[in-house]
Amino acid sequence: MDRVRHPAALIRTVAGACWILLVLLLAGYARSSALGLDSDVSRGVDLLPWPPAKLTAALCGAALLTVPLGFAVDRVLRGGGRRIADGVLAAVLAYGLSLGLDLLAGSLTALTHPLPTDPGRTDPVYGHLAPVLAFMTALDTTGRRRWRTALAVTLGLSALSGLVTGYATPLSLALALLLGWTVAHAARYAVGEPVGSPTEEQIAAALAGTGVRPAAVLALGPSRYLVTQRDGRPELDVHLLDRYAQASGLLGHLWLALRLRTAPRPLGLRPLRDGLEHQTLLGHAATAAGARTRTPVAAVELGPDCALVAYRRIDARPFAELFEELPASPDGSDVGPTDAELRDAWQQLALLQRRRIAHRSLSPSTVLLDAEGRVHLVGLARGEIAAGDLLLRLDVAGLLAVLALHAGPRRAVRAAIEVLGPGPVGAALPLLQPIALARGTRDALARHKELTADLRAEVQRRMPQATAVPVRLERLRPRTLLTVVACVAVGYALLQFPNPVAVISGADPLWLAGAALWSAVSYPVATFAFSGFVPEKLSFRPTLATQVAGSFVKVVAPGGVGGLALNTRYLQCAGIPTAQAMSSIGVSQLFGLVLHMLQLAVFSALVGVDTAAVDGEGSALPSGWVLWLAGAVTAVIAVSVAAVPSLRRRAQTLLRPLRAEVLPRLLDLAQRPGRLAGGVAGQLLVSMCFVACLYCCTRAVGQYPGFDAVATTFLAGNAVGNAVPSPGGVGGVEALMPALLTLTGGLDDYSARASVMLFRLLTFVLPVLPGWAAFAWLKRREAI
């Protein structure tokens, strides 16, 4: 018997582990609430009429043994004896983890209370329940209502008995149940769940009961069969719905459903019977609409884990097998499907759309063509009935992409307008995005990167009035997920820092005032640095306000993205064309990167020299280590890019804007050497202002590090902060700077964290309010 690792078991395992962690956090950080809950439950159970404790405990103990034993016997008698070993494995793991958690969580007194008779305390996990629940869950009680009821009653009475007798607390019961449930699903995913494919005889017998007259059953592939019938009846395509079908690609579909607002519900999350009914109903609805598709003939449920749907066989082949993906001529006139076949494909989709049936899976493998030139649309398992306008527009975009792959954008759009009219085709233009298309279509478009743009251009050429702005379909972007994870890490990191009130009250006021002064001076210096890379004359006051407003913008934008967007917008509103504005920002960023790396290399070399002079034994950071490391990394990257064609093409694509926009702007600046020199000097002075601010912060907490060590710390921390996808680089700076201060400056851990905390208060937190005021002032003046 084959086994399959169902992703749903992995999802349940992760969810259970999160709940266990939440209970442990509640016991550790909400101790008063946990103890209060224990006291309230104890007072409540004292009011219950209850038989003698020993008799109750004995009955519950007997039930905990009898119910799983009876269920195991029942499974053996019903032919499921092979899963007994899975249940035993889960029970043993649950018991072992219960003992391990007892040792690890023994210090959490909120999980325990004193024993009612003997000295000592109860166990943090009421371990009697975890093995029983793990055993029953691993054996799978789905569809066995009486055994599920018996298990629920047994666990409930045993838990109540533990509370009454004083051997359990509410949190220890919750941990036991969560541990058993989580371990069971972890075991099911680790060893896989047995799946028995039905035999040809079983399929034939099941179909015979629905009026089909099977003569032979032939396996065509995984979960697919060809059934021939007696008396000249048409052949049937049989699709098997089992755990293989449910588990196939479930994690990918889950990620797509989380990321995309219009993603279909993953089939693996539907009960098997719901999937059977949905697939059959869609087939009948599409046939009733007059569309050519696979017509369901029979639907049979073979058991709790297996069902099948039989369709009337279509003698047709997919477009992916019949035609090349790209036409030989620009308009695709000499290869691919004919114009009549293209119009027929659109007519089939129009029939579905007239009944508001969304296909949702249009791809080169679901659009079929038979020998008579008729198009069939198959693969409706993920479709929708009574679909909304957005899903119907997505189908139009999907079929446009499929036909453009094989007939060219011009012919695909022309046929669509002839059948559907210009309205539906123009409405699909904002949805011509790879993420909105079926996976097979996305994979094909990935091999022809210009085709989507050509298709959009063709639609817009024929309908200039159509809206071309893409519709936002993503609800969660990978960058957003990274930001959330980074913010969680930041929250945890900030909890490790000292109390800011205590640090400020204990800091040297003169050095603290000096740090605040250097932080304030950095803004006018940044204004001169920014203006130095813009050949056009800028007014000083709004330019200064823009630099101050950057302190507010970076709170809601990762790294330096917010500042770049704000500066670009300011230059545009100042009358500078967008291309020149972006070029000036590019030149500024290029010089900033080069100067930053040079400063980092110089100061890290000085750190090594100073340390060697002090201790006479050299430093953990040898002289010039950053310069050597940067040179080695640059050489490796350069050789890799030059040797690998794909990397070389990618590098050329990335450097094209630099060559086309930044270099001409740099030549314009070269004609004004004084302004360019001011920009370069400003870039250097901005970094030095922040280095001086951090140095004053270290002196304010009573430490005496070298200036070069502080400079290395800031430059490295700032580089990491710009790379971390969190607002203002929060998290990366707080994690790296204290460690570098300890390593290069000799500060103890507390002083390093206190210094960095003061620095971030002065340069990141406190400037937010002035930045907001500057931002509002610029908005009122329409300067941004």
Side-chain angles (χ1 to χ4, degrees):
M1 181 177 293
D2 296 329
R3 286 181 175 265
V4 58
R5 288 186 175 90
H6 203 295
L10 178 60
I11 295 171
R12 294 188 180 102
T13 301
V14 174
C18 292
W19 278 107
I20 291 173
L21 181 61
L22 183 62
V23 172
L24 293 175
L25 289 175
L26 178 64
Y29 293 96
R31 184 172 175 272
S32 298
S33 300
L35 292 176
L37 176 63
D38 186 24
S39 301
D40 293 341
V41 171
S42 299
R43 285 195 296 267
V45 297
D46 289 340
L47 302 177
L48 295 176
W50 196 254
K54 291 184 178 181
L55 176 60
T56 303
L59 291 176
C60 292
L64 284 176
L65 293 176
T66 304
V67 171
L69 182 60
F71 185 55
V73 172
D74 180 73
R75 291 302 303 266
V76 171
L77 296 177
R78 294 178 182 270
R82 294 186 179 183
R83 301 198 64 173
I84 301 297
D86 299 347
V88 172
L89 173 63
V92 171
L93 289 176
Y95 185 70
L97 288 177
S98 298
L99 295 179
L101 201 56
D102 285 339
L103 296 176
L104 294 176
S107 60
L108 298 177
T109 56
L111 296 173
T112 65
H113 58 209
L115 289 170
T117 56
D118 303 326
R121 302 185 67 87
T122 60
D123 293 331
V125 181
Y126 194 60
H128 301 82
L129 308 184
V132 174
L133 181 58
F135 180 83
M136 298 284 285
T137 305
L139 261 65
D140 192 7
T141 57
T142 304
R144 298 169 176 85
R145 182 176 300 177
R146 285 186 292 181
W147 286 111
R148 291 172 65 92
T149 303
L151 176 62
V153 171
T154 300
L155 293 177
L157 290 177
S158 299
L160 189 58
S161 172
L163 293 175
V164 170
T165 56
Y167 286 93
T169 65
L171 292 185
S172 69
L173 291 174
L175 273 180
L177 295 176
L178 288 172
L179 189 64
W181 187 80
T182 304
V183 169
H185 288 292
R188 290 174 67 172
Y189 184 78
V191 302
E193 301 181 38
V195 177
S197 300
T199 63
E200 285 80 359
E201 292 77 9
Q202 290 174 327
I203 294 175
L207 291 174
T210 64
V212 177
R213 304 189 64 183
V217 178
L218 177 65
L220 297 179
S223 304
R224 285 197 59 196
Y225 299 87
L226 172 64
V227 177
T228 57
Q229 299 190 79
R230 300 188 182 93
D231 304 330
R233 294 188 179 187
E235 297 178 332
L236 302 179
D237 269 327
V238 174
H239 290 239
L240 201 64
L241 281 73
D242 54 8
R243 291 194 178 273
Y244 275 121
Q246 287 186 303
S248 177
L250 179 59
L251 292 180
H253 292 305
L254 282 173
W255 167 241
L256 189 63
L258 182 65
R259 184 181 178 188
L260 194 63
R261 292 191 294 114
T262 57
R265 181 184 177 188
L267 298 178
L269 296 185
R270 293 176 176 173
L272 189 66
R273 185 169 185 83
D274 288 356
L276 176 66
E277 294 174 351
H278 182 79
Q279 191 166 332
T280 306
L281 179 61
L282 272 167
H284 285 301
T287 302
R292 286 190 290 271
T293 187
R294 293 193 178 106
T295 304
V297 175
V300 185
E301 191 172 11
L302 301 178
D305 298 330
C306 187
L308 60 84
V309 182
Y311 298 94
R312 186 172 289 111
R313 182 173 176 77
I314 299 175
D315 189 12
R317 295 173 61 191
F319 272 33
E321 298 180 6
L322 291 172
F323 307 113
E324 296 290 335
E325 285 186 354
L326 283 180
S329 60
D331 61 353
S333 57
D334 57 348
V335 293
T338 64
D339 290 341
E341 292 166 350
L342 293 176
R343 287 192 295 270
D344 189 37
W346 286 112
Q347 287 166 0
Q348 299 307 306
L349 183 64
L351 292 172
L352 293 178
Q353 301 230 327
R354 194 171 298 133
R355 295 291 184 91
R356 304 198 71 82
I357 300 173
H359 190 289
R360 312 212 63 185
S361 299
L362 287 168
S363 68
S365 61
T366 59
V367 181
L368 276 58
L369 184 67
D370 61 20
E372 299 177 5
R374 297 180 303 178
V375 175
H376 304 255
L377 302 181
V378 299
L380 281 159
R382 299 182 184 275
E384 298 285 346
I385 296 177
D389 291 337
L390 181 60
L391 297 184
L392 299 180
R393 292 162 60 195
L394 282 171
D395 274 355
V396 176
L399 191 56
L400 274 173
V402 171
L403 298 182
L405 279 166
H406 304 289
R410 187 175 302 175
R411 295 180 59 210
V413 174
R414 184 177 63 207
I417 295 175
E418 290 175 0
V419 176
L420 300 180
V425 180
L429 176 60
L431 300 172
L432 281 170
Q433 311 171 39
I435 193 174
L437 306 176
R439 182 173 182 177
T441 309
R442 291 200 308 270
D443 293 341
L445 289 175
R447 296 188 290 269
H448 310 286
K449 299 185 182 300
E450 303 297 329
L451 187 59
T452 302
D454 294 342
L455 183 57
R456 290 175 59 86
E458 178 63 21
V459 174
Q460 202 162 13
R461 184 184 69 82
R462 290 179 173 270
M463 285 163 290
Q465 73 281 3
T467 302
V469 179
V471 174
R472 172 72 183 274
L473 298 176
E474 291 178 289
R475 64 159 61 97
L476 177 65
R477 296 180 177 180
R479 185 177 62 188
T480 305
L481 185 61
L482 287 175
T483 301
V484 171
V485 173
C487 290
V488 172
V490 167
Y492 178 78
L494 292 179
L495 290 176
Q496 313 305 315
F497 274 74
N499 185 355
V501 177
V503 173
I504 294 174
S505 61
D508 187 312
L510 292 179
W511 284 108
L512 190 59
L517 177 63
W518 283 114
S519 176
V521 168
S522 66
Y523 293 101
V525 174
T527 302
F528 288 110
F530 176 70
S531 302
F533 293 101
V534 182
E536 294 81 4
K537 184 175 179 58
L538 298 175
S539 177
F540 177 78
R541 189 166 63 167
T543 306
L544 174 62
T546 303
Q547 305 312 305
V548 177
S551 302
F552 168 69
V553 173
K554 69 181 180 182
V555 174
V556 294
V561 176
L564 295 180
L566 179 66
N567 287 330
T568 303
R569 179 62 180 168
Y570 169 68
L571 293 180
Q572 290 173 332
C573 293
I576 300 175
T578 302
Q580 283 84 342
M582 297 184 67
S583 298
S584 293
I585 300 297
V587 171
S588 173
Q589 292 297 305
L590 178 63
F591 270 87
L593 176 63
V594 173
L595 293 174
H596 193 94
M597 296 306 296
L598 288 176
Q599 287 176 291
L600 181 58
V602 170
F603 280 109
S604 63
L606 292 177
V607 169
V609 171
D610 289 350
T611 307
V614 171
D615 57 24
E617 297 179 358
S619 170
L621 298 176
S623 178
W625 68 277
V626 171
L627 190 60
W628 287 106
L629 180 61
V633 171
T634 303
V636 171
I637 294 176
V639 171
S640 301
V641 169
V644 181
S646 59
L647 293 179
R648 188 165 59 247
R649 289 192 297 269
R650 180 63 175 169
Q652 291 173 350
T653 303
L654 293 175
L655 293 176
R656 190 177 298 120
L658 176 67
R659 185 173 62 252
E661 300 174 3
V662 176
L663 291 182
R665 194 65 164 174
L666 186 58
L667 293 177
D668 292 341
L669 286 170
Q671 299 175 11
R672 298 174 174 85
R675 180 176 290 270
L676 181 60
V680 172
Q683 291 272 18
L684 293 172
L685 289 176
V686 168
S687 297
M688 289 301 99
C689 286
F690 285 116
V691 171
C693 178
L694 180 58
Y695 180 78
C696 290
C697 290
T698 60
R699 295 299 300 270
V701 297
Q703 300 297 310
Y704 302 90
F707 188 82
D708 45 14
V710 175
T712 302
T713 297
F714 166 75
L715 294 168
N718 189 58
V720 171
N722 287 328
V724 172
S726 62
V730 177
V733 174
E734 287 76 8
L736 181 63
M737 278 192 175
L740 286 178
L741 280 177
T742 303
L743 179 64
T744 63
L747 276 68
D748 60 88
D749 184 67
Y750 177 85
S751 299
R753 291 181 181 276
S755 302
V756 172
M757 188 190 64
L758 285 177
F759 175 76
R760 294 292 275 173
L761 283 175
L762 293 173
T763 60
F764 179 67
V765 179
L766 294 181
V768 170
L769 186 58
W772 171 79
F775 187 85
W777 183 77
L778 290 168
K779 290 289 288 184
R780 286 196 305 270
R781 291 174 56 93
E782 297 183 353
I784 55 174

